Amino acid sequence: MKNAASLVLLATALAFTGCNTQIGVDNPDTHEASFSNVLGTLTTRYNADTETVFNAVKRTFDGMSGTLRTGETDERGANNELLAVAVYARTVGDLEIRVDVAKTEDPVTKQFYTQVTVKYGNFGNLPQSQQIISKISSNLRR
């Protein structure tokens, strides 16, 4: 009985901590992203300012057939600088897509970059999230 309880406790801990998987993405700045199996989110970074990435996200949703951009919430800093924004959309089957764009500082190099996190549906969908990142990258190409 003690072994069964220990195994159940271990399985529960693994299920809640989950794991992050490094995934290849079509991003000119970094060719990998991190997919959280627990949260269902795909996260990558761009070496562009937050406003530029935000505009690329809007162009991505506006260009996707069967997808309707439903709104965004933003956080602005001094001088009306865009620090973070969450963009919401709905797709076929009334699935919600959320893309978070945030200005972030690398703790090692102290350089700023823009982090993008995509969540497709309630539980996440890796292939669809990769496609969205690819479309954001193509809309961002300089």
Side-chain angles (χ1 to χ4, degrees), residues 2 5 18 25 28 41 59 61 64 71 97 106 108 111 114 130 141:
K2 287 183 181 181
V25 291
T41 58
R59 282 192 301 275
F61 282 142
M64 292 173 62
I97 305 170
D106 189 312
V108 177
Q111 292 182 336
T114 301
Q130 282 178 298
R141 295 252 158 86

Side-chain angles (χ1 to χ4, degrees), residues 15-37:
F16 282 111
T17 57
C19 65
N20 287 337
T21 306
Q22 294 301 98
I23 303 293
V25 291
D26 181 21
N27 179 345
D29 298 331
T30 179
H31 295 291
E32 66 179 29
S34 177
F35 183 73
S36 170
N37 294 314

Side-chain angles (χ1 to χ4, degrees), residues 14-134:
L14 288 174
F16 282 111
T17 57
C19 65
N20 287 337
T21 306
Q22 294 301 98
I23 303 293
V25 291
D26 181 21
N27 179 345
D29 298 331
T30 179
H31 295 291
E32 66 179 29
S34 177
F35 183 73
S36 170
N37 294 314
V38 174
L39 300 174
T41 58
L42 182 64
T43 304
T44 191
R45 63 170 63 178
Y46 292 99
N47 295 329
D49 66 283
T50 310
E51 194 78 42
T52 303
V53 176
F54 171 52
N55 289 330
V57 170
K58 290 193 300 187
R59 282 192 301 275
T60 296
F61 282 142
D62 292 345
M64 292 173 62
S65 63
T67 302
L68 175 66
R69 185 165 44 102
T70 57
E72 57 263 340
T73 58
D74 63 353
E75 176 185 334
R76 299 208 176 252
N79 301 326
N80 205 25
E81 175 190 16
L82 184 64
L83 300 177
V85 62
V87 182
Y88 300 93
R90 292 276 179 183
T91 189
V92 176
D94 200 29
L95 290 174
E96 182 182 63
I97 305 170
R98 178 180 172 151
V99 176
D100 292 310
V101 179
K103 182 178 181 179
T104 310
E105 182 181 19
D106 189 312
V108 177
T109 63
K110 302 295 183 200
Q111 292 182 336
F112 287 98
Y113 62 90
T114 301
Q115 178 174 302
V116 175
T117 303
V118 177
K119 183 165 185 179
Y120 190 98
N122 292 328
F123 303 108
N125 184 319
L126 177 59
Q128 292 294 335
S129 296
Q130 282 178 298
Q131 287 179 3
I132 291 172
I133 291 292
S134 177

